[in-house]
Amino acid sequence: MKAPSWRRAVLKVGSALIAPDETGVSTKYLLPIARFINECRERGQEVVIVSSGSVAAGRKHIHFEHKKVPVAVRKAMSAVGQNEMMGYWSRFFDSPCAQLLMTHSDLRDRARYVSIKNTLNRLLEHNILPVVNENDALATDEMKVGDNDNLSAMVATLVDADALFICSDIDGLYDSDPNLNPDAKKIPVVEQIDESIYSLAGGSVSDVGTGGMRTKVEAAEKATSHGIDTYIVNGRKGETFESLLQGDIPGTLFRRQSDPISNKKHWLRHTLVAQGEILVDEGAEKALIENGASLLSSGIVDVQGDFDRGDAVLVRSANDTDAIAKGICQYSAHELMHIKGQQTEDIAEKFGYSPITEVIHRDDLMILEDA
Ligand SMILES: Nc1ncnc2c1ncn2[C@@H]1O[C@H](COP(=O)(O)OP(=O)(O)O)[C@@H](O)[C@H]1O
Ligand SMILES: N[C@@H](CCC(=O)OP(=O)(O)O)C(=O)O
Protein backbone atom coordinates (compact mmCIF):
# COMPACT_ATOMS: atom_id res chain seq x y z
CA MET A 1 0.00 0.00 0.00
CA LYS A 2 1.34 3.43 -1.00
CA ALA A 3 1.11 6.56 1.15
CA PRO A 4 -1.19 9.35 -0.06
CA SER A 5 0.69 12.20 -1.72
CA TRP A 6 1.02 15.52 0.07
CA ARG A 7 1.90 19.14 -0.65
CA ARG A 8 2.49 20.62 2.81
CA ALA A 9 3.40 18.69 5.96
CA VAL A 10 4.08 19.27 9.62
CA LEU A 11 6.84 17.08 11.01
CA LYS A 12 6.92 16.66 14.79
CA VAL A 13 10.18 15.64 16.39
CA GLY A 14 9.87 14.42 19.96
CA SER A 15 12.41 14.66 22.79
CA ALA A 16 13.08 10.94 22.29
CA LEU A 17 14.86 11.89 19.04
CA ILE A 18 16.41 15.27 19.64
CA ALA A 19 17.40 14.46 23.22
CA PRO A 20 17.92 10.67 23.31
CA ASP A 21 19.95 10.90 26.52
CA GLU A 22 17.29 13.12 28.14
CA THR A 23 19.94 15.72 29.01
CA GLY A 24 21.24 18.01 26.29
CA VAL A 25 20.29 17.76 22.63
CA SER A 26 22.10 15.59 20.12
CA THR A 27 22.51 15.41 16.35
CA LYS A 28 22.46 11.59 16.58
CA TYR A 29 19.06 11.09 14.91
CA LEU A 30 18.61 14.44 13.24
CA LEU A 31 20.65 13.99 10.06
CA PRO A 32 18.24 11.58 8.25
CA ILE A 33 15.32 13.80 9.30
CA ALA A 34 17.04 16.89 7.91
CA ARG A 35 17.89 15.02 4.68
CA PHE A 36 14.25 14.02 4.34
CA ILE A 37 13.12 17.62 4.80
CA ASN A 38 15.68 18.88 2.28
CA GLU A 39 14.64 16.27 -0.29
CA CYS A 40 10.93 17.10 0.17
CA ARG A 41 11.64 20.80 -0.24
CA GLU A 42 13.60 20.11 -3.43
CA ARG A 43 10.54 18.26 -4.71
CA GLY A 44 8.46 21.38 -4.07
CA GLN A 45 6.80 20.14 -0.89
CA GLU A 46 6.66 22.44 2.13
CA VAL A 47 7.54 21.44 5.69
CA VAL A 48 6.99 22.97 9.13
CA ILE A 49 8.87 21.43 12.06
CA VAL A 50 7.35 21.14 15.52
CA SER A 51 10.33 20.37 17.74
CA SER A 52 10.54 19.37 21.38
CA GLY A 53 13.85 19.35 23.22
CA SER A 54 14.12 22.71 24.96
CA VAL A 55 13.68 21.20 28.44
CA ALA A 56 16.20 18.45 27.74
CA ALA A 57 18.65 21.01 26.30
CA GLY A 58 18.25 23.20 29.39
CA ARG A 59 18.87 20.27 31.75
CA LYS A 60 22.49 20.39 30.75
CA HIS A 61 22.80 23.89 32.20
CA ILE A 62 20.46 23.72 35.19
CA HIS A 63 21.30 20.69 37.28
CA PHE A 64 18.55 19.27 39.39
CA GLU A 65 19.09 16.30 41.65
CA HIS A 66 15.59 14.86 41.83
CA LYS A 67 13.77 13.10 39.01
CA LYS A 68 10.65 15.23 39.54
CA VAL A 69 11.56 18.72 38.36
CA PRO A 70 9.44 21.60 39.78
CA VAL A 71 7.49 23.61 37.20
CA ALA A 72 9.53 26.81 37.68
CA VAL A 73 12.80 24.94 37.16
CA ARG A 74 11.39 23.20 34.05
CA LYS A 75 10.46 26.61 32.65
CA ALA A 76 13.95 27.92 33.30
CA MET A 77 15.40 24.84 31.58
CA SER A 78 13.16 25.47 28.61
CA ALA A 79 14.16 29.16 28.41
CA VAL A 80 17.85 28.33 28.27
CA GLY A 81 17.27 25.29 26.05
CA GLN A 82 15.11 26.78 23.25
CA ASN A 83 18.04 28.62 21.76
CA GLU A 84 20.26 25.58 21.83
CA MET A 85 17.61 23.37 20.27
CA MET A 86 17.16 25.96 17.47
CA GLY A 87 20.91 26.05 16.94
CA TYR A 88 20.92 22.32 16.27
CA TRP A 89 18.23 22.62 13.60
CA SER A 90 19.82 25.65 11.94
CA ARG A 91 23.08 23.85 11.29
CA PHE A 92 21.36 21.26 9.05
CA PHE A 93 19.89 23.67 6.51
CA ASP A 94 21.39 26.11 4.03
CA SER A 95 18.25 28.26 4.09
CA PRO A 96 17.35 29.97 7.37
CA CYS A 97 15.16 28.55 10.13
CA ALA A 98 12.63 30.68 12.00
CA GLN A 99 11.53 30.08 15.58
CA LEU A 100 7.88 30.39 16.62
CA LEU A 101 6.98 29.88 20.26
CA MET A 102 3.30 29.71 21.08
CA THR A 103 0.83 28.61 23.72
CA HIS A 104 -2.74 27.36 23.60
CA SER A 105 -3.94 30.83 24.58
CA ASP A 106 -2.46 32.16 21.29
CA LEU A 107 -4.26 29.48 19.29
CA ARG A 108 -7.67 29.93 20.90
CA ASP A 109 -7.70 33.66 20.26
CA ARG A 110 -9.09 34.05 16.74
CA ALA A 111 -7.06 37.22 15.98
CA ARG A 112 -3.76 35.71 17.18
CA TYR A 113 -4.56 32.45 15.41
CA VAL A 114 -4.92 34.29 12.11
CA SER A 115 -1.75 36.29 12.84
CA ILE A 116 0.31 33.11 13.45
CA LYS A 117 -1.17 31.58 10.29
CA ASN A 118 -0.13 34.61 8.22
CA THR A 119 3.39 34.58 9.66
CA LEU A 120 3.81 30.87 8.92
CA ASN A 121 2.54 31.33 5.38
CA ARG A 122 4.94 34.24 4.74
CA LEU A 123 7.88 32.18 6.06
CA LEU A 124 7.01 29.26 3.79
CA GLU A 125 6.65 31.60 0.81
CA HIS A 126 10.19 32.82 1.47
CA ASN A 127 11.57 29.29 1.71
CA ILE A 128 12.32 29.69 5.43
CA LEU A 129 11.88 26.62 7.59
CA PRO A 130 9.59 27.34 10.57
CA VAL A 131 10.44 25.53 13.82
CA VAL A 132 7.56 25.65 16.28
CA ASN A 133 7.57 24.79 19.98
CA GLU A 134 5.39 25.60 22.96
CA ASN A 135 6.48 28.70 24.85
CA ASP A 136 7.07 26.62 27.98
CA ALA A 137 8.95 29.37 29.82
CA LEU A 138 5.88 31.63 29.94
CA ALA A 139 2.94 29.27 29.80
CA THR A 140 0.82 28.70 32.88
CA ASP A 141 -1.37 25.60 33.14
CA GLU A 142 -4.39 27.47 31.76
CA MET A 143 -2.40 28.81 28.80
CA LYS A 144 -0.58 25.77 27.54
CA VAL A 145 -1.30 22.96 25.11
CA GLY A 146 0.90 20.80 27.32
CA ASP A 147 2.38 18.46 24.73
CA ASN A 148 3.85 18.86 21.28
CA ASP A 149 1.82 16.03 19.73
CA ASN A 150 -1.39 18.01 20.15
CA LEU A 151 0.45 21.23 19.28
CA SER A 152 1.66 19.68 16.01
CA ALA A 153 -1.92 18.77 15.05
CA MET A 154 -3.06 22.31 15.79
CA VAL A 155 -0.22 23.71 13.70
CA ALA A 156 -1.03 21.27 10.88
CA THR A 157 -4.59 22.60 10.84
CA LEU A 158 -3.40 26.17 11.04
CA VAL A 159 -1.20 25.87 7.94
CA ASP A 160 -3.72 23.70 6.04
CA ALA A 161 -1.23 20.84 5.84
CA ASP A 162 -2.26 17.59 4.18
CA ALA A 163 0.14 15.39 6.16
CA LEU A 164 1.37 15.22 9.74
CA PHE A 165 4.42 13.10 10.57
CA ILE A 166 4.89 12.39 14.28
CA CYS A 167 8.45 11.12 14.62
CA SER A 168 9.17 9.24 17.82
CA ASP A 169 11.28 6.36 19.15
CA ILE A 170 8.77 3.66 18.27
CA ASP A 171 7.70 2.07 14.96
CA GLY A 172 4.07 3.19 15.22
CA LEU A 173 0.96 2.40 17.25
CA TYR A 174 1.02 -1.10 18.74
CA ASP A 175 -1.76 -3.04 20.40
CA SER A 176 0.07 -2.35 23.69
CA ASP A 177 3.25 -0.51 24.71
CA PRO A 178 6.15 -2.53 23.18
CA ASN A 179 8.46 -1.19 25.91
CA LEU A 180 6.31 -3.09 28.41
CA ASN A 181 5.07 -6.00 26.28
CA PRO A 182 7.56 -7.71 23.92
CA ASP A 183 4.67 -9.48 22.10
CA ALA A 184 2.95 -6.22 21.14
CA LYS A 185 1.87 -6.05 17.48
CA LYS A 186 2.06 -3.02 15.22
CA ILE A 187 -1.11 -1.60 13.64
CA PRO A 188 -0.22 -0.42 10.10
CA VAL A 189 -3.37 1.58 9.28
CA VAL A 190 -6.10 3.11 11.43
CA GLU A 191 -9.19 4.05 9.45
CA GLN A 192 -11.23 5.40 12.37
CA ILE A 193 -10.12 6.61 15.78
CA ASP A 194 -12.47 5.56 18.55
CA GLU A 195 -12.26 4.42 22.17
CA SER A 196 -10.84 1.04 21.13
CA ILE A 197 -7.82 2.85 19.64
CA TYR A 198 -7.42 5.07 22.71
CA SER A 199 -7.52 2.02 24.94
CA LEU A 200 -4.30 0.72 23.31
CA ALA A 201 -2.32 3.92 23.87
CA GLY A 202 -0.23 4.21 27.01
CA GLY A 203 1.93 6.99 28.47
CA SER A 204 5.62 7.81 28.10
CA VAL A 205 8.43 6.02 29.90
CA SER A 206 10.82 8.92 29.31
CA ASP A 207 11.59 11.78 31.76
CA VAL A 208 11.46 14.50 29.12
CA GLY A 209 8.77 13.09 26.80
CA THR A 210 5.19 14.20 27.43
CA GLY A 211 2.10 12.15 26.85
CA GLY A 212 3.42 8.98 25.22
CA MET A 213 1.11 7.33 22.68
CA ARG A 214 -2.10 8.78 24.07
CA THR A 215 -1.31 12.37 23.03
CA LYS A 216 -0.21 11.05 19.61
CA VAL A 217 -3.62 9.44 19.10
CA GLU A 218 -5.29 12.67 20.27
CA ALA A 219 -3.20 14.54 17.71
CA ALA A 220 -4.10 12.04 15.01
CA GLU A 221 -7.79 12.47 15.83
CA LYS A 222 -7.56 16.25 15.57
CA ALA A 223 -5.60 16.17 12.33
CA THR A 224 -7.52 13.41 10.53
CA SER A 225 -10.85 15.06 11.31
CA HIS A 226 -9.46 18.05 9.47
CA GLY A 227 -8.51 16.01 6.41
CA ILE A 228 -4.83 15.53 7.32
CA ASP A 229 -3.23 12.08 6.95
CA THR A 230 -1.26 11.41 10.14
CA TYR A 231 1.73 9.09 10.50
CA ILE A 232 3.51 7.85 13.60
CA VAL A 233 6.98 6.77 12.52
CA ASN A 234 10.25 5.79 14.12
CA GLY A 235 12.65 8.70 13.70
CA ARG A 236 15.50 6.70 15.19
CA LYS A 237 15.70 4.60 12.03
CA GLY A 238 17.19 6.23 8.94
CA GLU A 239 15.30 3.82 6.69
CA THR A 240 12.01 5.34 7.88
CA PHE A 241 12.71 8.45 5.85
CA GLU A 242 13.90 6.49 2.81
CA SER A 243 10.57 4.63 2.87
CA LEU A 244 8.60 7.85 3.19
CA LEU A 245 10.44 9.33 0.21
CA GLN A 246 9.54 6.26 -1.82
CA GLY A 247 5.89 6.69 -0.89
CA ASP A 248 5.78 3.71 1.49
CA ILE A 249 4.25 3.71 4.97
CA PRO A 250 6.91 2.70 7.48
CA GLY A 251 4.84 3.26 10.65
CA THR A 252 1.15 3.66 11.41
CA LEU A 253 -1.02 5.71 9.07
CA PHE A 254 -4.15 7.27 10.54
CA ARG A 255 -6.16 7.96 7.44
CA ARG A 256 -7.80 11.33 7.00
CA GLN A 257 -11.57 11.53 7.26
CA SER A 258 -13.23 11.88 3.87
CA ASP A 259 -15.55 14.59 5.11
CA PRO A 260 -13.30 17.03 6.96
CA ILE A 261 -14.95 19.70 9.03
CA SER A 262 -14.25 23.30 8.16
CA ASN A 263 -11.30 25.24 9.56
CA LYS A 264 -13.43 27.36 11.81
CA LYS A 265 -15.44 24.49 13.22
CA HIS A 266 -12.29 22.52 13.79
CA TRP A 267 -10.80 25.43 15.69
CA LEU A 268 -14.01 25.74 17.66
CA ARG A 269 -14.19 22.10 18.56
CA HIS A 270 -10.58 21.31 19.36
CA THR A 271 -8.94 24.59 20.34
CA LEU A 272 -11.48 26.76 22.10
CA VAL A 273 -12.16 26.06 25.77
CA ALA A 274 -15.81 26.46 26.83
CA GLN A 275 -16.26 29.14 29.49
CA GLY A 276 -19.81 28.24 30.52
CA GLU A 277 -23.02 26.42 29.63
CA ILE A 278 -26.37 27.35 28.14
CA LEU A 279 -29.27 25.06 29.04
CA VAL A 280 -31.97 24.82 26.39
CA ASP A 281 -35.53 23.42 26.13
CA GLU A 282 -36.62 20.51 23.96
CA GLY A 283 -37.75 22.72 21.08
CA ALA A 284 -34.37 24.44 20.86
CA GLU A 285 -32.54 21.12 21.11
CA LYS A 286 -34.55 19.75 18.19
CA ALA A 287 -34.06 22.92 16.14
CA LEU A 288 -30.29 22.75 16.61
CA ILE A 289 -29.85 19.05 15.94
CA GLU A 290 -32.53 18.31 13.36
CA ASN A 291 -33.00 21.61 11.54
CA GLY A 292 -29.49 23.03 11.67
CA ALA A 293 -30.89 26.23 13.21
CA SER A 294 -29.14 28.98 15.17
CA LEU A 295 -29.78 29.22 18.91
CA LEU A 296 -32.31 31.91 19.84
CA SER A 297 -33.04 33.40 23.25
CA SER A 298 -36.56 31.94 23.38
CA GLY A 299 -35.21 28.37 23.77
CA ILE A 300 -32.85 29.18 26.64
CA VAL A 301 -33.85 27.89 30.07
CA ASP A 302 -30.77 28.72 32.15
CA VAL A 303 -27.17 29.91 32.01
CA GLN A 304 -24.17 28.61 33.97
CA GLY A 305 -20.70 30.10 34.34
CA ASP A 306 -19.42 33.60 33.76
CA PHE A 307 -18.60 34.21 30.12
CA ASP A 308 -18.25 37.26 27.91
CA ARG A 309 -19.49 38.03 24.41
CA GLY A 310 -17.38 36.03 21.93
CA ASP A 311 -16.51 33.26 24.40
CA ALA A 312 -17.08 29.59 23.60
CA VAL A 313 -19.88 27.85 25.51
CA LEU A 314 -21.38 24.41 25.68
CA VAL A 315 -25.08 23.96 24.92
CA ARG A 316 -26.95 21.25 26.72
CA SER A 317 -30.50 20.13 27.19
CA ALA A 318 -32.03 21.17 30.53
CA ASN A 319 -33.02 17.49 30.97
CA ASP A 320 -29.64 15.94 30.28
CA THR A 321 -26.05 16.15 31.49
CA ASP A 322 -24.34 15.63 28.10
CA ALA A 323 -23.50 18.66 25.97
CA ILE A 324 -25.17 18.68 22.55
CA ALA A 325 -23.22 21.51 20.93
CA LYS A 326 -20.40 23.98 21.34
CA GLY A 327 -20.50 27.48 19.96
CA ILE A 328 -19.40 31.09 20.16
CA CYS A 329 -21.91 33.11 22.13
CA GLN A 330 -22.85 36.61 20.99
CA TYR A 331 -24.03 37.58 24.48
CA SER A 332 -22.40 37.58 27.91
CA ALA A 333 -23.74 35.27 30.63
CA HIS A 334 -25.04 38.34 32.45
CA GLU A 335 -27.00 39.55 29.39
CA LEU A 336 -28.39 36.08 28.74
CA MET A 337 -29.81 35.86 32.26
CA HIS A 338 -32.02 38.83 31.34
CA ILE A 339 -33.15 37.68 27.91
CA LYS A 340 -33.43 33.90 28.42
CA GLY A 341 -36.80 32.47 27.40
CA GLN A 342 -37.87 35.67 25.64
CA GLN A 343 -38.87 36.15 22.01
CA THR A 344 -36.52 38.41 20.07
CA GLU A 345 -39.33 40.99 19.42
CA ASP A 346 -40.13 41.18 23.13
CA ILE A 347 -36.51 41.89 23.99
CA ALA A 348 -36.54 44.88 21.67
CA GLU A 349 -39.66 46.23 23.40
CA LYS A 350 -38.49 45.50 26.92
CA PHE A 351 -34.92 46.75 26.67
CA GLY A 352 -35.40 49.43 24.04
CA TYR A 353 -32.76 48.23 21.65
CA SER A 354 -32.61 45.93 18.69
CA PRO A 355 -30.88 42.74 19.83
CA ILE A 356 -28.73 40.37 17.81
CA THR A 357 -31.25 37.69 16.79
CA GLU A 358 -28.96 34.68 17.18
CA VAL A 359 -27.50 33.97 20.60
CA ILE A 360 -25.23 31.49 18.79
CA HIS A 361 -25.18 31.72 15.02
CA ARG A 362 -25.37 28.44 13.12
CA ASP A 363 -21.98 29.14 11.49
CA ASP A 364 -20.43 29.41 14.95
CA LEU A 365 -22.10 26.26 16.25
CA MET A 366 -20.76 22.73 16.22
CA ILE A 367 -23.08 19.84 17.05
CA LEU A 368 -21.15 17.33 19.14
CA GLU A 369 -21.10 13.64 18.28
CA ASP A 370 -23.78 11.37 19.77
CA ALA A 371 -26.12 14.34 20.26
N1 LIG B 1 0.29 1.25 22.21
C1 LIG B 1 1.52 1.81 22.13
N2 LIG B 1 2.25 1.68 20.98
C2 LIG B 1 3.47 2.23 20.86
N3 LIG B 1 4.07 2.95 21.87
C3 LIG B 1 3.41 3.12 23.02
C4 LIG B 1 2.09 2.56 23.21
N4 LIG B 1 1.66 2.93 24.45
C5 LIG B 1 2.65 3.66 25.02
N5 LIG B 1 3.70 3.80 24.17
C6 LIG B 1 4.93 4.54 24.51
O1 LIG B 1 4.97 5.80 23.84
C7 LIG B 1 6.36 6.16 23.74
C8 LIG B 1 6.54 7.33 22.79
O2 LIG B 1 6.05 8.52 23.40
P1 LIG B 1 7.03 9.62 24.07
O3 LIG B 1 7.97 8.94 25.03
O4 LIG B 1 6.17 10.70 24.61
O5 LIG B 1 7.90 10.07 22.83
P2 LIG B 1 8.14 11.50 22.16
O6 LIG B 1 9.20 12.14 22.98
O7 LIG B 1 8.62 11.13 20.78
O8 LIG B 1 6.84 12.24 22.14
C9 LIG B 1 6.98 4.87 23.29
O9 LIG B 1 8.37 4.82 23.53
C10 LIG B 1 6.22 3.82 24.12
O10 LIG B 1 6.87 3.49 25.32
N1 LIG C 1 7.93 21.79 24.80
C1 LIG C 1 8.72 20.75 25.44
C2 LIG C 1 8.37 19.38 24.89
C3 LIG C 1 7.03 18.85 25.31
C4 LIG C 1 6.68 17.52 24.64
O1 LIG C 1 5.55 17.29 24.22
O2 LIG C 1 7.71 16.61 24.53
P1 LIG C 1 7.61 15.27 23.62
O3 LIG C 1 6.58 14.34 24.17
O4 LIG C 1 8.98 14.72 23.69
O5 LIG C 1 7.29 15.69 22.22
C5 LIG C 1 10.20 20.98 25.18
O6 LIG C 1 10.58 21.76 24.31
O7 LIG C 1 11.00 20.34 25.88
Side-chain angles (χ1 to χ4, degrees):
M1 186 181 31
K2 285 289 177 190
S5 62
W6 56 273
R7 169 194 52 86
R8 183 178 277 186
V10 169
L11 188 134
K12 187 256 170 175
V13 177
S15 308
L17 296 180
I18 192 165
D21 301 328
E22 301 187 0
T23 301
V25 282
S26 156
T27 53
K28 192 170 172 190
Y29 299 115
L30 301 192
L31 189 58
I33 300 177
R35 267 207 213 108
F36 171 70
I37 295 172
N38 276 328
E39 176 66 32
C40 292
R41 292 170 98 200
E42 271 170 30
R43 292 179 179 187
Q45 291 165 309
E46 293 172 317
V47 179
V48 174
I49 297 180
V50 172
S51 179
S52 304
S54 68
V55 173
R59 273 185 163 201
K60 206 174 72 189
H61 303 290
I62 300 177
H63 300 285
F64 199 80
E65 301 282 300
H66 306 290
K67 225 171 149 58
K68 182 116 187 72
V69 182
V71 176
V73 178
R74 203 179 145 86
K75 287 181 177 194
M77 287 172 172
S78 161
V80 66
Q82 294 285 11
N83 195 28
E84 197 162 327
M85 178 269 279
M86 274 306 291
Y88 270 69
W89 282 118
S90 295
R91 68 172 72 163
F92 285 112
F93 302 97
D94 293 333
S95 57
C97 295
Q99 183 177 37
L100 277 102
L101 299 176
M102 60 188 75
T103 64
H104 194 246
S105 63
D106 298 312
L107 295 166
R108 61 183 178 234
D109 178 285
R110 190 71 187 156
R112 272 183 275 164
Y113 182 91
V114 171
S115 156
I116 299 169
K117 185 180 174 98
N118 286 334
T119 307
L120 279 164
N121 281 330
R122 293 300 88 74
L123 289 168
L124 291 169
E125 269 168 35
H126 287 85
N127 201 30
I128 295 169
L129 182 64
V131 181
V132 177
N133 193 5
E134 181 139 53
N135 197 348
D136 299 295
L138 304 190
T140 57
D141 277 353
E142 308 76 56
M143 284 165 71
K144 66 185 182 185
V145 178
D147 69 88
N148 277 359
D149 297 318
N150 277 292
L151 179 66
S152 67
M154 291 174 191
V155 172
T157 307
L158 186 82
V159 297
D160 294 322
D162 33 27
L164 168 63
F165 298 101
I166 299 180
C167 306
S168 188
D169 61 352
I170 201 90
D171 282 348
L173 173 72
Y174 283 70
D175 56 9
S176 63
D177 185 346
N179 284 323
L180 305 175
N181 174 13
D183 298 326
K185 299 217 166 31
K186 194 174 87 177
I187 302 171
V189 180
V190 175
E191 300 286 350
Q192 183 76 40
I193 299 172
D194 53 22
E195 263 319 304
S196 68
I197 296 295
Y198 274 107
S199 69
L200 310 177
S204 174
V205 290
S206 127
D207 276 354
V208 284
T210 311
M213 198 44 65
R214 182 158 185 100
T215 48
K216 289 172 185 39
V217 174
E218 286 170 3
E221 188 182 9
K222 283 189 176 72
T224 53
S225 73
H226 193 61
I228 302 167
D229 289 308
T230 303
Y231 302 77
I232 296 177
V233 296
N234 194 336
R236 289 195 171 182
K237 296 181 175 169
E239 60 266 32
T240 294
F241 300 99
E242 296 302 321
S243 295
L244 285 175
L245 286 171
Q246 281 159 24
D248 296 329
I249 304 171
T252 298
L253 164 65
F254 297 80
R255 220 187 276 283
R256 69 175 146 214
Q257 299 299 294
S258 51
D259 182 21
I261 51 181
S262 75
N263 227 343
K264 188 173 178 185
K265 291 204 171 175
H266 187 274
W267 168 75
L268 176 63
R269 177 169 176 181
H270 290 296
T271 313
L272 274 191
V273 175
Q275 305 294 328
E277 285 188 345
I278 297 178
L279 276 58
V280 298
D281 63 20
E282 244 175 81
E285 180 180 3
K286 199 163 170 233
L288 297 185
I289 296 175
E290 292 176 20
N291 307 339
S294 297
L295 177 64
L296 307 182
S297 51
S298 52
I300 298 177
V301 177
D302 204 359
V303 178
Q304 292 179 354
D306 182 17
F307 49 88
D308 283 324
R309 286 181 177 197
D311 278 346
V313 293
L314 289 172
V315 179
R316 90 176 150 84
S317 159
N319 306 322
D320 202 351
T321 48
D322 293 332
I324 53 175
K326 190 175 178 186
I328 300 170
C329 190
Q330 312 228 51
Y331 288 90
S332 69
H334 181 73
E335 288 167 325
L336 280 187
M337 285 309 281
H338 289 287
I339 64 169
K340 67 177 186 188
Q342 315 227 15
Q343 300 293 334
T344 315
E345 316 79 74
D346 298 341
I347 301 171
E349 206 169 287
K350 204 165 170 185
F351 296 103
Y353 65 89
S354 193
I356 306 163
T357 311
E358 298 89 4
V359 171
I360 301 178
H361 192 280
R362 182 71 215 170
D363 292 347
D364 295 332
L365 188 83
M366 170 86 205
I367 301 294
L368 300 171
E369 273 151 36
D370 306 328

